[in-house]
Amino acid sequence: MIKACIFDLDGVIVDTAVYHYQAWKRLANELGFDFTEHQNEQLKGVSRVRSLELILGWGNVSKTPVEQTELATRKNQWYVEMINRMQPSEILPGAKEFLQTAKAAGLKTALGSASKNSATILERVGLLPLFDAIVDGNHVTASKPDPEVFLKGAEALGLNSAECVVFEDAIAGVQAAKAGSMKVVGIGSPEVLTEADLVIAGLHEMTLEKLQALDLLQK
Ligand code: BG6
Ligand code: MG
């Protein structure tokens, strides 16, 4: 029986993907190259360190580990400047409402995000009180598609995998949920999130009925 919802943050609760993109683009431009919005899709759900490796690869740029740490820190400073100005109006449509609906129905809620900035973002947009547990990039050693972040989310809620449904917009995140034997609702396009049990355009399309239907689904 489903007892909890575990939400990814970027692209599910808030649209911070655009800020990540702007900050990475600025860094790439300073290094003398650029990358496309299409390439940016590959960065979704991926850790900061891995994102930098991918971007340096696209630009054919090689950096020492010390330089890479410095570059990732610089990108994060720009990103933090942007998220520090975030407003509650930047919550994605239906996200707050579905969190409230789930909690009112007695379901537990957790965050399962790769970001190390999740607490800042949730605080800025005023959603922190709607989560029973927060598991993010500060608490895991393995990145999505490894299931660690979602398994730790379930554990923090005192539940097992079969009792949790994950909400994810990234392919790596959907794979992580599946690897953790959890049902997963994809946020985005069914052509992209092919492994999800259900795909919706956003949390504004989510209902308790759809959640219950997932319980009956054998997959
Ligand atoms: C994920 C984003 O949620 O968090 C990625 O989809 C990002 O784009 C990752 O790289 C890590 O975020 P942060 O805030 O720790 O740099
Ligand atoms: Mg995401």
Side-chain angles (χ1 to χ4, degrees):
M1 192 184 141
I2 292 169
K3 295 184 179 165
C5 298
I6 305 181
F7 299 89
D8 173 50
L9 177 65
D10 297 314
V12 172
I13 303 286
V14 285
D15 190 14
T16 35
V18 53
Y19 298 136
H20 279 298
Y21 180 47
Q22 283 170 18
W24 282 128
K25 202 174 163 64
R26 183 172 167 186
L27 191 77
N29 291 169
E30 283 196 2
L31 293 169
F33 66 95
D34 206 355
F35 62 91
T36 64
E37 258 182 85
H38 181 70
Q39 283 172 305
N40 186 55
E41 285 300 306
Q42 293 177 48
L43 305 180
K44 289 188 178 171
V46 172
S47 74
R48 196 181 308 164
V49 171
R50 181 70 192 129
S51 298
L52 179 64
E53 285 170 0
L54 286 168
I55 292 165
L56 292 178
W58 296 335
N60 261 316
V61 172
S62 147
K63 294 284 175 191
T64 65
V66 172
E67 287 168 335
Q68 289 189 25
T69 303
E70 190 274 324
L71 290 172
T73 303
R74 202 177 332 157
K75 178 268 174 179
N76 192 56
Q77 281 165 351
W78 295 327
Y79 179 68
V80 168
E81 272 171 31
M82 292 189 268
I83 59 172
N84 274 338
R85 292 193 294 263
M86 280 183 81
Q87 299 296 322
S89 59
E90 291 175 76
I91 297 170
L92 285 168
K96 185 173 186 177
E97 291 76 8
F98 184 67
L99 275 159
Q100 287 169 330
T101 302
K103 287 197 75 71
L107 294 161
K108 296 271 182 209
T109 57
L111 191 81
S113 167
S115 175
K116 294 186 172 175
N117 294 299
S118 72
T120 306
I121 295 169
L122 290 179
E123 210 165 344
R124 278 298 308 170
V125 301
L127 290 181
L128 211 44
L130 288 175
F131 287 91
D132 297 304
I134 305 279
V135 181
D136 72 9
N138 297 296
H139 310 106
V140 296
T141 50
S143 292
K144 300 171 186 176
D146 189 283
E148 184 183 5
V149 70
F150 297 133
L151 294 177
K152 285 203 166 146
E155 193 187 326
L157 297 173
L159 299 173
N160 62 45
S161 292
E163 294 171 317
C164 301
V165 173
V166 168
F167 294 82
E168 255 295 348
D169 70 316
I171 297 168
V174 170
Q175 290 170 340
K178 288 279 113 191
S181 303
M182 294 181 186
K183 293 276 169 53
V184 54
V185 177
I187 306 288
S189 145
E191 285 77 42
V192 177
L193 304 173
T194 52
E195 294 174 52
D197 297 296
L198 164 74
V199 179
I200 55 175
L203 286 173
H204 57 287
E205 288 185 3
M206 196 59 202
T207 61
L208 292 176
E209 289 70 32
K210 287 180 186 173
L211 206 59
Q212 275 155 8
L214 284 176
D215 237 350
L216 309 170
L217 198 69
Q218 297 298 318
K219 206 173 179 183

CSV table of all heavy atoms in Angstrom, one decimal, residues 148-208:
chain,number,residue,atom,x,y,z
A,148,GLU,N,20.2,5.2,-4.1
A,148,GLU,CA,20.5,5.6,-2.7
A,148,GLU,C,19.6,6.7,-2.2
A,148,GLU,O,19.1,6.6,-1.1
A,148,GLU,CB,22.0,6.0,-2.6
A,148,GLU,CG,22.4,6.3,-1.1
A,148,GLU,CD,23.8,6.8,-1.0
A,148,GLU,OE1,24.5,7.0,-2.0
A,148,GLU,OE2,24.3,7.0,0.2
A,149,VAL,N,19.5,7.8,-2.9
A,149,VAL,CA,18.7,9.0,-2.4
A,149,VAL,C,17.3,8.6,-2.1
A,149,VAL,O,16.7,9.1,-1.1
A,149,VAL,CB,18.8,10.2,-3.4
A,149,VAL,CG1,18.0,9.9,-4.7
A,149,VAL,CG2,18.4,11.5,-2.7
A,150,PHE,N,16.7,7.8,-2.9
A,150,PHE,CA,15.3,7.4,-2.6
A,150,PHE,C,15.2,6.3,-1.5
A,150,PHE,O,14.2,6.4,-0.7
A,150,PHE,CB,14.6,6.9,-3.9
A,150,PHE,CG,14.5,8.0,-5.0
A,150,PHE,CD1,14.9,7.7,-6.3
A,150,PHE,CD2,14.1,9.3,-4.7
A,150,PHE,CE1,14.8,8.7,-7.3
A,150,PHE,CE2,14.0,10.3,-5.6
A,150,PHE,CZ,14.4,10.0,-6.9
A,151,LEU,N,16.1,5.4,-1.5
A,151,LEU,CA,16.1,4.4,-0.4
A,151,LEU,C,16.3,5.1,0.9
A,151,LEU,O,15.6,4.7,1.9
A,151,LEU,CB,17.2,3.4,-0.7
A,151,LEU,CG,17.0,2.5,-1.9
A,151,LEU,CD1,18.2,1.5,-2.1
A,151,LEU,CD2,15.7,1.7,-1.8
A,152,LYS,N,17.2,6.1,1.0
A,152,LYS,CA,17.4,6.8,2.2
A,152,LYS,C,16.1,7.6,2.6
A,152,LYS,O,15.8,7.8,3.8
A,152,LYS,CB,18.6,7.8,2.1
A,152,LYS,CG,19.9,7.0,2.2
A,152,LYS,CD,21.0,7.9,2.7
A,152,LYS,CE,22.2,7.0,3.1
A,152,LYS,NZ,23.5,7.6,2.8
A,153,GLY,N,15.4,8.1,1.6
A,153,GLY,CA,14.1,8.8,1.8
A,153,GLY,C,13.1,7.9,2.4
A,153,GLY,O,12.5,8.3,3.4
A,154,ALA,N,13.0,6.7,1.9
A,154,ALA,CA,12.0,5.7,2.5
A,154,ALA,C,12.4,5.4,3.9
A,154,ALA,O,11.6,5.4,4.8
A,154,ALA,CB,12.0,4.5,1.6
A,155,GLU,N,13.7,5.2,4.1
A,155,GLU,CA,14.2,4.8,5.4
A,155,GLU,C,13.9,6.0,6.4
A,155,GLU,O,13.5,5.7,7.6
A,155,GLU,CB,15.7,4.6,5.3
A,155,GLU,CG,16.4,4.0,6.5
A,155,GLU,CD,17.9,3.9,6.3
A,155,GLU,OE1,18.4,3.8,5.2
A,155,GLU,OE2,18.6,4.1,7.4
A,156,ALA,N,14.1,7.2,6.0
A,156,ALA,CA,13.9,8.4,6.9
A,156,ALA,C,12.4,8.4,7.3
A,156,ALA,O,12.1,8.9,8.4
A,156,ALA,CB,14.3,9.6,6.2
A,157,LEU,N,11.6,7.9,6.4
A,157,LEU,CA,10.1,7.9,6.7
A,157,LEU,C,9.7,6.7,7.5
A,157,LEU,O,8.5,6.5,7.9
A,157,LEU,CB,9.3,8.1,5.4
A,157,LEU,CG,9.5,9.4,4.6
A,157,LEU,CD1,8.8,9.3,3.3
A,157,LEU,CD2,9.0,10.6,5.4
A,158,GLY,N,10.6,5.7,7.6
A,158,GLY,CA,10.3,4.4,8.3
A,158,GLY,C,9.5,3.5,7.4
A,158,GLY,O,8.7,2.7,7.9
A,159,LEU,N,9.6,3.6,6.1
A,159,LEU,CA,8.8,2.8,5.2
A,159,LEU,C,9.7,2.0,4.2
A,159,LEU,O,10.9,2.2,4.1
A,159,LEU,CB,7.9,3.8,4.3
A,159,LEU,CG,6.9,4.6,5.1
A,159,LEU,CD1,6.3,5.6,4.2
A,159,LEU,CD2,5.9,3.8,5.8
A,160,ASN,N,9.1,1.0,3.6
A,160,ASN,CA,9.8,0.2,2.6
A,160,ASN,C,9.5,0.7,1.2
A,160,ASN,O,8.6,1.5,1.0
A,160,ASN,CB,9.6,-1.3,2.7
A,160,ASN,CG,8.2,-1.7,2.5
A,160,ASN,OD1,7.5,-1.2,1.6
A,160,ASN,ND2,7.7,-2.5,3.4
A,161,SER,N,10.3,0.3,0.2
A,161,SER,CA,10.2,0.8,-1.2
A,161,SER,C,8.8,0.6,-1.8
A,161,SER,O,8.3,1.5,-2.5
A,161,SER,CB,11.2,0.0,-2.1
A,161,SER,OG,12.5,0.3,-1.7
A,162,ALA,N,8.1,-0.5,-1.5
A,162,ALA,CA,6.8,-0.7,-2.1
A,162,ALA,C,5.8,0.3,-1.6
A,162,ALA,O,4.7,0.4,-2.2
A,162,ALA,CB,6.4,-2.1,-1.7
A,163,GLU,N,6.1,1.0,-0.5
A,163,GLU,CA,5.1,1.9,0.1
A,163,GLU,C,5.4,3.3,-0.4
A,163,GLU,O,4.7,4.3,0.0
A,163,GLU,CB,5.3,1.9,1.6
A,163,GLU,CG,4.8,0.5,2.2
A,163,GLU,CD,5.1,0.4,3.7
A,163,GLU,OE1,6.2,0.7,4.1
A,163,GLU,OE2,4.2,-0.2,4.4
A,164,CYS,N,6.4,3.5,-1.3
A,164,CYS,CA,6.7,4.9,-1.7
A,164,CYS,C,6.5,5.0,-3.2
A,164,CYS,O,6.9,4.1,-4.0
A,164,CYS,CB,8.2,5.2,-1.4
A,164,CYS,SG,8.5,5.1,0.4
A,165,VAL,N,6.0,6.2,-3.6
A,165,VAL,CA,6.0,6.6,-5.1
A,165,VAL,C,6.9,7.8,-5.3
A,165,VAL,O,6.9,8.7,-4.5
A,165,VAL,CB,4.5,6.9,-5.5
A,165,VAL,CG1,4.5,7.5,-6.9
A,165,VAL,CG2,3.6,5.7,-5.4
A,166,VAL,N,7.7,7.7,-6.3
A,166,VAL,CA,8.7,8.8,-6.6
A,166,VAL,C,8.2,9.6,-7.7
A,166,VAL,O,7.5,9.1,-8.7
A,166,VAL,CB,10.1,8.1,-7.0
A,166,VAL,CG1,11.0,9.2,-7.6
A,166,VAL,CG2,10.7,7.5,-5.8
A,167,PHE,N,8.4,10.9,-7.7
A,167,PHE,CA,8.0,11.9,-8.7
A,167,PHE,C,9.3,12.5,-9.3
A,167,PHE,O,10.1,13.1,-8.5
A,167,PHE,CB,7.1,13.0,-8.2
A,167,PHE,CG,5.8,12.5,-7.7
A,167,PHE,CD1,5.7,11.9,-6.5
A,167,PHE,CD2,4.7,12.6,-8.6
A,167,PHE,CE1,4.4,11.4,-6.1
A,167,PHE,CE2,3.5,12.1,-8.2
A,167,PHE,CZ,3.3,11.5,-6.9
A,168,GLU,N,9.6,12.3,-10.6
A,168,GLU,CA,10.9,12.6,-11.2
A,168,GLU,C,10.7,13.2,-12.6
A,168,GLU,O,9.9,12.7,-13.4
A,168,GLU,CB,11.7,11.3,-11.3
A,168,GLU,CG,12.8,11.2,-10.3
A,168,GLU,CD,13.9,12.2,-10.5
A,168,GLU,OE1,14.0,12.9,-11.5
A,168,GLU,OE2,14.8,12.3,-9.5
A,169,ASP,N,11.6,14.1,-12.9
A,169,ASP,CA,11.6,14.7,-14.3
A,169,ASP,C,12.8,14.2,-15.1
A,169,ASP,O,12.8,14.5,-16.3
A,169,ASP,CB,11.5,16.2,-14.3
A,169,ASP,CG,12.9,16.8,-13.8
A,169,ASP,OD1,13.4,16.3,-12.8
A,169,ASP,OD2,13.3,17.7,-14.4
A,170,ALA,N,13.8,13.6,-14.5
A,170,ALA,CA,15.0,13.2,-15.2
A,170,ALA,C,15.0,11.7,-15.5
A,170,ALA,O,14.5,10.9,-14.6
A,170,ALA,CB,16.2,13.6,-14.3
A,171,ILE,N,15.6,11.3,-16.6
A,171,ILE,CA,15.7,9.9,-17.0
A,171,ILE,C,16.5,9.2,-15.9
A,171,ILE,O,16.1,8.1,-15.4
A,171,ILE,CB,16.4,9.8,-18.3
A,171,ILE,CG1,15.6,10.4,-19.4
A,171,ILE,CG2,16.7,8.3,-18.6
A,171,ILE,CD1,16.3,10.6,-20.8
A,172,ALA,N,17.6,9.8,-15.4
A,172,ALA,CA,18.4,9.2,-14.4
A,172,ALA,C,17.6,9.0,-13.1
A,172,ALA,O,17.8,8.0,-12.4
A,172,ALA,CB,19.7,10.0,-14.1
A,173,GLY,N,16.7,9.9,-12.8
A,173,GLY,CA,15.9,9.8,-11.6
A,173,GLY,C,14.9,8.7,-11.7
A,173,GLY,O,14.6,8.0,-10.7
A,174,VAL,N,14.3,8.6,-12.9
A,174,VAL,CA,13.3,7.5,-13.1
A,174,VAL,C,14.0,6.2,-12.9
A,174,VAL,O,13.5,5.3,-12.2
A,174,VAL,CB,12.6,7.6,-14.5
A,174,VAL,CG1,11.8,6.4,-14.8
A,174,VAL,CG2,11.7,8.9,-14.5
A,175,GLN,N,15.2,6.1,-13.5
A,175,GLN,CA,16.0,4.8,-13.4
A,175,GLN,C,16.3,4.5,-11.9
A,175,GLN,O,16.3,3.4,-11.5
A,175,GLN,CB,17.2,4.9,-14.2
A,175,GLN,CG,16.9,4.9,-15.7
A,175,GLN,CD,18.1,5.3,-16.6
A,175,GLN,OE1,19.1,5.9,-16.1
A,175,GLN,NE2,18.0,4.9,-17.9
A,176,ALA,N,16.7,5.6,-11.2
A,176,ALA,CA,17.0,5.4,-9.8
A,176,ALA,C,15.8,4.9,-9.0
A,176,ALA,O,16.0,4.0,-8.1
A,176,ALA,CB,17.4,6.8,-9.2
A,177,ALA,N,14.6,5.4,-9.2
A,177,ALA,CA,13.4,4.9,-8.5
A,177,ALA,C,13.2,3.5,-8.8
A,177,ALA,O,12.9,2.7,-8.0
A,177,ALA,CB,12.2,5.8,-8.9
A,178,LYS,N,13.3,3.1,-10.1
A,178,LYS,CA,13.1,1.7,-10.6
A,178,LYS,C,14.1,0.8,-9.9
A,178,LYS,O,13.8,-0.3,-9.5
A,178,LYS,CB,13.1,1.6,-12.1
A,178,LYS,CG,11.9,2.2,-12.8
A,178,LYS,CD,10.8,1.3,-12.8
A,178,LYS,CE,9.6,1.8,-12.0
A,178,LYS,NZ,8.5,0.9,-11.8
A,179,ALA,N,15.4,1.3,-9.9
A,179,ALA,CA,16.4,0.5,-9.3
A,179,ALA,C,16.2,0.3,-7.8
A,179,ALA,O,16.6,-0.7,-7.2
A,179,ALA,CB,17.8,1.2,-9.5
A,180,GLY,N,15.4,1.2,-7.2
A,180,GLY,CA,15.1,1.0,-5.8
A,180,GLY,C,13.7,0.3,-5.6
A,180,GLY,O,13.2,0.3,-4.5
A,181,SER,N,13.2,-0.3,-6.7
A,181,SER,CA,11.9,-1.0,-6.7
A,181,SER,C,10.7,-0.2,-6.2
A,181,SER,O,9.9,-0.6,-5.5
A,181,SER,CB,12.0,-2.3,-5.8
A,181,SER,OG,13.0,-3.1,-6.2
A,182,MET,N,10.7,1.1,-6.7
A,182,MET,CA,9.6,2.0,-6.3
A,182,MET,C,8.8,2.3,-7.6
A,182,MET,O,9.4,2.3,-8.7
A,182,MET,CB,10.2,3.3,-5.7
A,182,MET,CG,10.9,3.1,-4.4
A,182,MET,SD,11.5,4.7,-3.7
A,182,MET,CE,12.4,4.1,-2.3
A,183,LYS,N,7.5,2.6,-7.4
A,183,LYS,CA,6.7,3.1,-8.5
A,183,LYS,C,7.2,4.5,-8.7
A,183,LYS,O,7.6,5.2,-7.8
A,183,LYS,CB,5.2,3.1,-8.1
A,183,LYS,CG,4.7,1.7,-7.9
A,183,LYS,CD,4.2,1.1,-9.2
A,183,LYS,CE,3.9,-0.4,-9.1
A,183,LYS,NZ,3.0,-0.8,-8.2
A,184,VAL,N,7.1,4.9,-10.0
A,184,VAL,CA,7.6,6.3,-10.3
A,184,VAL,C,6.6,7.0,-11.3
A,184,VAL,O,6.2,6.4,-12.3
A,184,VAL,CB,9.0,6.2,-10.9
A,184,VAL,CG1,9.2,5.3,-12.0
A,184,VAL,CG2,9.5,7.6,-11.2
A,185,VAL,N,6.3,8.2,-11.0
A,185,VAL,CA,5.5,9.1,-11.8
A,185,VAL,C,6.5,10.0,-12.5
A,185,VAL,O,7.2,10.8,-11.8
A,185,VAL,CB,4.5,9.9,-11.0
A,185,VAL,CG1,3.7,10.8,-11.9
A,185,VAL,CG2,3.5,9.0,-10.3
A,186,GLY,N,6.6,10.0,-13.8
A,186,GLY,CA,7.4,10.8,-14.6
A,186,GLY,C,6.8,12.2,-14.8
A,186,GLY,O,5.6,12.3,-15.0
A,187,ILE,N,7.6,13.2,-14.7
A,187,ILE,CA,7.0,14.6,-14.9
A,187,ILE,C,7.7,15.1,-16.2
A,187,ILE,O,8.9,15.3,-16.3
A,187,ILE,CB,7.4,15.6,-13.8
A,187,ILE,CG1,7.0,15.0,-12.4
A,187,ILE,CG2,6.9,17.0,-14.0
A,187,ILE,CD1,5.5,15.0,-12.1
A,188,GLY,N,6.9,15.2,-17.3
A,188,GLY,CA,7.5,15.6,-18.6
A,188,GLY,C,6.8,14.8,-19.7
A,188,GLY,O,5.6,14.7,-19.7
A,189,SER,N,7.6,14.3,-20.6
A,189,SER,CA,7.1,13.7,-21.8
A,189,SER,C,7.2,12.1,-21.8
A,189,SER,O,8.3,11.6,-21.4
A,189,SER,CB,7.8,14.2,-23.0
A,189,SER,OG,8.0,13.3,-24.0
A,190,PRO,N,6.2,11.4,-22.1
A,190,PRO,CA,6.2,9.9,-22.1
A,190,PRO,C,7.3,9.4,-23.1
A,190,PRO,O,7.8,8.3,-22.9
A,190,PRO,CB,4.8,9.5,-22.6
A,190,PRO,CG,4.0,10.7,-22.6
A,190,PRO,CD,4.9,11.9,-22.6
A,191,GLU,N,7.6,10.2,-24.2
A,191,GLU,CA,8.6,9.7,-25.1
A,191,GLU,C,10.0,9.7,-24.5
A,191,GLU,O,10.9,8.9,-24.9
A,191,GLU,CB,8.7,10.6,-26.4
A,191,GLU,CG,7.5,10.5,-27.3
A,191,GLU,CD,6.2,11.1,-26.8
A,191,GLU,OE1,6.3,12.3,-26.3
A,191,GLU,OE2,5.1,10.5,-26.9
A,192,VAL,N,10.2,10.6,-23.5
A,192,VAL,CA,11.5,10.7,-22.9
A,192,VAL,C,11.6,9.8,-21.6
A,192,VAL,O,12.5,9.0,-21.5
A,192,VAL,CB,11.8,12.2,-22.4
A,192,VAL,CG1,13.1,12.3,-21.7
A,192,VAL,CG2,11.8,13.1,-23.6
A,193,LEU,N,10.5,9.8,-20.8
A,193,LEU,CA,10.5,9.1,-19.6
A,193,LEU,C,9.9,7.7,-19.7
A,193,LEU,O,8.9,7.4,-19.1
A,193,LEU,CB,9.8,9.9,-18.5
A,193,LEU,CG,10.4,11.3,-18.3
A,193,LEU,CD1,9.6,12.1,-17.3
A,193,LEU,CD2,11.9,11.2,-17.8
A,194,THR,N,10.4,6.9,-20.6
A,194,THR,CA,9.8,5.7,-21.1
A,194,THR,C,9.7,4.6,-20.0
A,194,THR,O,8.8,3.8,-20.0
A,194,THR,CB,10.6,5.1,-22.2
A,194,THR,OG1,12.0,5.0,-21.8
A,194,THR,CG2,10.5,5.9,-23.5
A,195,GLU,N,10.5,4.7,-18.9
A,195,GLU,CA,10.5,3.7,-17.9
A,195,GLU,C,9.5,4.0,-16.7
A,195,GLU,O,9.3,3.2,-15.8
A,195,GLU,CB,11.9,3.4,-17.3
A,195,GLU,CG,12.8,2.8,-18.4
A,195,GLU,CD,14.3,2.8,-17.8
A,195,GLU,OE1,14.5,2.2,-16.7
A,195,GLU,OE2,15.2,3.3,-18.5
A,196,ALA,N,8.9,5.2,-16.8
A,196,ALA,CA,8.0,5.6,-15.7
A,196,ALA,C,6.7,4.8,-15.7
A,196,ALA,O,6.3,4.4,-16.8
A,196,ALA,CB,7.7,7.1,-15.8
A,197,ASP,N,6.1,4.6,-14.6
A,197,ASP,CA,4.8,3.8,-14.5
A,197,ASP,C,3.7,4.7,-15.0
A,197,ASP,O,2.6,4.2,-15.5
A,197,ASP,CB,4.5,3.4,-13.1
A,197,ASP,CG,5.6,2.5,-12.6
A,197,ASP,OD1,5.7,1.4,-13.2
A,197,ASP,OD2,6.3,2.8,-11.7
A,198,LEU,N,3.8,6.0,-14.9
A,198,LEU,CA,2.8,7.0,-15.3
A,198,LEU,C,3.6,8.2,-15.7
A,198,LEU,O,4.5,8.6,-15.0
A,198,LEU,CB,1.8,7.2,-14.2
A,198,LEU,CG,0.9,8.4,-14.3
A,198,LEU,CD1,-0.2,8.2,-15.4
A,198,LEU,CD2,0.2,8.7,-13.0
A,199,VAL,N,3.2,9.0,-16.7
A,199,VAL,CA,3.8,10.2,-17.0
A,199,VAL,C,2.8,11.3,-17.1
A,199,VAL,O,1.7,11.2,-17.8
A,199,VAL,CB,4.6,10.2,-18.4
A,199,VAL,CG1,5.3,11.5,-18.6
A,199,VAL,CG2,5.7,9.1,-18.3
A,200,ILE,N,3.0,12.4,-16.4
A,200,ILE,CA,2.1,13.6,-16.4
A,200,ILE,C,3.0,14.8,-16.7
A,200,ILE,O,4.2,14.8,-16.6
A,200,ILE,CB,1.4,13.8,-15.0
A,200,ILE,CG1,2.4,13.8,-13.9
A,200,ILE,CG2,0.4,12.6,-14.8
A,200,ILE,CD1,1.8,14.2,-12.5
A,201,ALA,N,2.3,15.9,-17.2
A,201,ALA,CA,3.0,17.1,-17.6
A,201,ALA,C,3.5,17.8,-16.4
A,201,ALA,O,4.5,18.6,-16.5
A,201,ALA,CB,2.1,18.0,-18.4
A,202,GLY,N,2.9,17.7,-15.2
A,202,GLY,CA,3.3,18.4,-14.0
A,202,GLY,C,2.4,18.0,-12.9
A,202,GLY,O,1.4,17.3,-13.1
A,203,LEU,N,2.7,18.4,-11.7
A,203,LEU,CA,2.0,18.0,-10.5
A,203,LEU,C,0.5,18.5,-10.5
A,203,LEU,O,-0.3,18.0,-9.8
A,203,LEU,CB,2.7,18.3,-9.2
A,203,LEU,CG,3.9,17.5,-8.9
A,203,LEU,CD1,4.7,18.0,-7.7
A,203,LEU,CD2,3.5,16.0,-8.7
A,204,HIS,N,0.3,19.5,-11.3
A,204,HIS,CA,-1.1,20.0,-11.5
A,204,HIS,C,-2.0,18.9,-12.0
A,204,HIS,O,-3.3,19.0,-11.9
A,204,HIS,CB,-1.2,21.3,-12.3
A,204,HIS,CG,-0.6,21.1,-13.7
A,204,HIS,ND1,0.7,21.0,-13.9
A,204,HIS,CD2,-1.2,21.0,-14.9
A,204,HIS,CE1,0.9,20.8,-15.2
A,204,HIS,NE2,-0.2,20.8,-15.8
A,205,GLU,N,-1.4,17.9,-12.7
A,205,GLU,CA,-2.2,16.8,-13.2
A,205,GLU,C,-2.3,15.6,-12.3
A,205,GLU,O,-3.0,14.6,-12.6
A,205,GLU,CB,-1.6,16.3,-14.5
A,205,GLU,CG,-1.8,17.3,-15.7
A,205,GLU,CD,-1.3,16.8,-17.0
A,205,GLU,OE1,-0.8,15.6,-17.1
A,205,GLU,OE2,-1.3,17.5,-18.0
A,206,MET,N,-1.7,15.7,-11.1
A,206,MET,CA,-1.7,14.6,-10.2
A,206,MET,C,-2.9,14.6,-9.3
A,206,MET,O,-3.3,15.6,-8.8
A,206,MET,CB,-0.4,14.6,-9.4
A,206,MET,CG,-0.1,13.2,-8.7
A,206,MET,SD,0.0,11.9,-9.9
A,206,MET,CE,-0.3,10.5,-8.9
A,207,THR,N,-3.4,13.4,-9.0
A,207,THR,CA,-4.6,13.2,-8.1
A,207,THR,C,-4.3,12.0,-7.2
A,207,THR,O,-3.5,11.1,-7.5
A,207,THR,CB,-5.9,13.0,-8.8
A,207,THR,OG1,-5.7,11.8,-9.6
A,207,THR,CG2,-6.2,14.2,-9.8
A,208,LEU,N,-5.1,11.9,-6.1
A,208,LEU,CA,-5.0,10.8,-5.2
A,208,LEU,C,-5.5,9.5,-5.9
A,208,LEU,O,-5.0,8.4,-5.7
A,208,LEU,CB,-5.8,11.0,-3.9
A,208,LEU,CG,-5.3,12.1,-3.0
A,208,LEU,CD1,-6.2,12.3,-1.8
A,208,LEU,CD2,-3.9,11.7,-2.5
